[in-house]
Amino acid sequence: MSLNEAIVQDAVMTWFRELGHAVGNPTHMKTLRAALVWLFSSAAAALSAAPAAEKPNIVYILADDLGYGDVQALNLARGKIKTPHLDRLASQGMTFTDSHGGSSVCTPTRYGLLTGRYAWRTRLQKGVLDGTDDPPLIAENRLTVPALLRQNGYVTAAIGKWHLGFLSERPAVTIATPAPAGKKKATAMGSAGLPVGSRIIGGPTTRGFDYFWGCSNARTMSGLIENDRVIENLPPIEMLPRLERQAVNYVAEHATAAKAGIPFFLYVPLTSPHTPILPTPEWQGKSGLGAYGDFVMQTDAVVGKILAALDAHGLAANTLVIFTADNGCSPQAGTPELEKLGHFASAQFRGYKADIWDGGHRVPFLARWPGRIAPGTRSDQLICHTDLMATCAEILGATLPADAGVDSVSILPALLGTARAPLRESIVHHSIQGMFSIREGAWKLEFCPGSGGWAAPLDAAARKSGLPEIQLYDLSRDIAETKNLHAENPAVVSRLTALLHRQIAEGRSTPGPRQSNDVAVRFSPFSSP
């Protein structure tokens, strides 16, 4: 099949799928028109772009609240959950041992992943978005990874959890008789999705993705969204298997076009193993470690199905697969009980999701690209999820605009095994409470007296007990962050504090012209250099 024929086939398939939604339902006409625009823009982009053989398909799978130690291959000593598919992925590619989300919680990490920019430069400087009826966190004019790839001939899809904000228009409903006064019944976790027919405004298809299928966040996952419409309400336990099927189907539908020269970017932000922890019946009891262990095993199986789809359609050889997580394991997984059973979801690292310590944001990162990434290799390079933007640009030979990917460093040299020096000067960590930390080499400076998150001691309790306002650790000697060295190393504290202030003031942490943060960045009052 020729390139032109593949373009037309892929686009027409998309067009007819959207036509099926539109017939008899005028609310879908906007999506149909968008598909027609996509038909012509994709053809033009693909025909004018560089030779397709140089462009891999990219599948980026992002688990939700999966600890570094939840992948058995990364935690042989203290990991009890079987993850055969992730272990195989590690054996076929490269394992990064020092990879970090841009934050220790969900929304800010996802912002950084898709924009190459730390989320604390935006209005969101602590916590996460509610999920629905939040103005989009990604500005409409900001370049995203899928938009960059689309400019270079890719088709792009997000299948999974968005959690970066959108507004909604809900269908008119008849107002029911008010319920009797009394205590309002709480909505179960996962069941607060928008009603069918709701339109989302400012969602994924306005931020670089040609196609979206999934939900807003864990609380609202019952509202199943396709492109810009809520199309179904479903029980939350069904979401993960449905995401698996949709991702596998996407690979199948785009295989012919991908082989003929139209690569795809498939972003799969899973809803698991985040709460609600809902393994389906066939997985219940499989781990012997409770529902969380079962859910991790099911998550591993989803990855296995996507990898199998790539194999089945002959795409594995020209596909860069990345598997990682947004942040560490949540204490809501029942971490004390898991540890009593011998499973340590954060492996040797201190803390969990939400915390400034490494257990909050150091995450698994596995990358496979046959013929380019040597199998069974390991990299100790310090990397961040924000690095996807610059990495994609280098793969494509593209130059980023001055205001794009301001906190993104290409990890392509590490992937290819050609890096001979550290790729990153530093990395900034951020906790759920908005506390900062900066890492340079083995040194890690934290601007809070406690965890900065949910683990004990909380900052208020740490302050009350007289703990110092800053923490400094030498991770080369103290990976568990147990011995605070700030008093013995004032020069290191001063240097790293000044470095963080500079990166805040310059609006970027990479070389390039000075940029502006969206708002003033709130920083610890105890951190003046």
Side-chain angles (χ1 to χ4, degrees):
M1 178 179 290
S2 72
L3 178 61
N4 286 352
E5 289 170 335
I7 292 169
V8 172
Q9 176 175 305
D10 194 78
V12 169
M13 286 176 62
T14 299
W15 190 84
F16 273 109
R17 183 174 62 244
E18 300 304 339
L19 179 61
H21 294 313
V23 171
N25 187 346
T27 60
H28 286 288
M29 292 306 295
K30 182 178 179 182
T31 302
L32 178 58
R33 288 194 298 271
L36 285 169
V37 171
W38 181 85
L39 167 60
F40 295 105
S41 64
S42 293
L47 290 170
S48 63
E54 300 175 3
K55 298 177 181 179
N57 307 303
I58 301 172
V59 176
Y60 196 107
I61 306 171
L62 184 72
D64 199 352
D65 289 8
L66 183 83
Y68 184 97
D70 286 329
V71 178
Q72 194 164 54
L74 305 184
N75 191 23
L76 293 175
R78 301 199 295 176
K80 303 299 182 183
I81 302 174
K82 292 181 173 61
T83 54
H85 301 289
L86 292 173
D87 296 349
R88 178 168 65 91
L89 185 62
S91 71
Q92 294 174 340
M94 179 173 285
T95 298
F96 284 79
T97 63
D98 207 351
S99 171
H100 300 262
S103 170
S104 57
V105 285
C106 172
T107 301
T109 286
R110 290 158 199 265
Y111 176 92
L113 190 159
L114 292 177
T115 66
R117 184 178 188 241
Y118 292 133
W120 46 262
R121 300 191 188 279
T122 74
R123 71 179 193 273
L124 186 71
Q125 297 182 2
K126 63 186 299 186
V128 299
L129 295 185
D130 181 58
T132 58
D133 290 317
D134 282 309
L137 188 62
I138 301 176
E140 194 168 8
N141 62 350
R142 183 161 295 284
L143 184 67
T144 62
V145 170
L148 169 70
L149 292 169
R150 193 160 65 177
Q151 290 170 5
N152 286 271
Y154 280 71
V155 291
T156 60
I159 296 175
K161 168 182 166 180
W162 180 239
H163 209 180
L164 284 165
F166 55 72
L167 302 176
S168 69
E169 287 181 356
R170 308 183 189 200
V173 295
T174 303
I175 299 176
T177 304
K183 186 175 181 180
K184 185 178 179 181
K185 184 179 179 181
T187 303
M189 183 68 169
S191 300
L194 292 168
V196 172
S198 298
R199 183 169 77 96
I200 68 169
I201 304 166
T205 56
T206 69
R207 298 300 187 270
F209 288 105
D210 296 308
Y211 181 69
F212 174 67
W213 196 97
C215 61
S216 171
N217 68 348
R219 188 179 62 81
T220 64
M221 73 168 70
S222 60
L224 178 59
I225 302 165
E226 185 171 31
N227 293 326
D228 67 348
R229 294 284 168 176
V230 178
I231 61 170
E232 186 179 346
N233 288 142
L234 50 75
I237 196 172
E238 293 184 12
M239 180 55 76
L240 184 59
R242 295 281 293 273
L243 292 177
E244 174 193 293
R245 290 198 295 272
Q246 197 71 11
V248 167
N249 289 341
Y250 186 89
V251 170
E253 290 172 2
H254 289 77
T256 301
K259 291 176 185 176
I262 306 198
F264 60 79
F265 171 56
L266 177 57
Y267 170 53
V268 189
L270 299 174
T271 54
S272 62
H274 192 291
T275 54
I277 298 171
L278 297 171
T280 52
E282 65 268 32
W283 289 100
Q284 293 170 14
K286 290 283 188 180
S287 70
L289 294 167
Y292 180 76
D294 300 341
F295 213 24
V296 170
M297 289 186 69
Q298 185 177 355
T299 302
D300 173 76
V302 171
V303 175
K305 291 287 188 181
I306 296 172
L307 297 178
L310 294 171
D311 289 338
H313 294 284
L315 297 175
N318 192 39
T319 300
L320 169 60
V321 176
I322 293 174
F323 173 86
T324 185
D326 55 356
N327 46 254
C329 173
S330 170
Q332 294 177 359
T335 49
E337 292 76 17
L338 287 167
E339 290 173 4
K340 288 177 184 176
L341 294 170
H343 179 74
F344 290 77
S346 291
Q348 66 268 41
F349 307 110
R350 185 181 185 184
Y352 288 99
K353 173 184 177 177
D355 299 335
I356 202 67
W357 300 316
D358 264 30
H361 46 78
R362 189 185 292 228
V363 290
F365 193 99
L366 312 174
R368 186 188 77 180
W369 189 2
R372 305 298 299 277
I373 296 175
T377 51
R378 162 179 158 152
S379 174
D380 297 328
Q381 287 276 352
L382 177 65
I383 67 170
C384 182
H385 286 353
T386 56
D387 295 338
L388 180 61
M389 173 78 80
T391 303
C392 288
E394 186 170 3
I395 289 172
L396 298 170
T399 300
L400 292 175
D403 63 348
V406 294
D407 299 305
S408 188
V409 173
S410 174
I411 68 167
L412 185 60
L415 293 171
L416 302 182
T418 60
R420 297 292 178 261
L423 299 175
R424 274 189 160 270
E425 173 192 26
S426 63
I427 186 173
V428 176
H429 308 304
H430 207 235
S431 77
I432 193 171
Q433 298 299 338
M435 299 295 107
F436 280 88
S437 171
I438 187 165
R439 169 89 180 275
E440 182 189 54
W443 288 112
K444 184 182 178 190
L445 179 63
E446 301 165 356
F447 296 92
C448 55
S451 69
W454 296 337
L458 302 179
D459 290 336
R463 196 168 286 123
K464 188 174 181 180
S465 67
L467 290 176
E469 288 292 340
I470 55 175
Q471 304 171 63
L472 177 69
Y473 299 105
D474 179 356
L475 299 185
S476 67
R477 301 180 180 182
D478 181 21
I479 198 65
E481 300 175 74
T482 61
K483 184 174 177 57
N484 188 349
L485 301 175
H486 84 283
E488 299 97 312
N489 296 275
V492 175
V493 171
S494 179
R495 185 182 76 250
L496 293 184
T497 302
L499 178 59
L500 178 55
H501 274 279
R502 188 182 81 222
Q503 293 185 8
I504 292 173
E506 293 183 355
R508 67 186 311 138
S509 57
T510 58
R514 187 185 184 105
Q515 300 295 312
S516 297
N517 301 313
D518 296 353
V519 297
V521 177
R522 293 186 299 177
F523 189 32
S524 167
F526 306 99
S527 61
S528 298

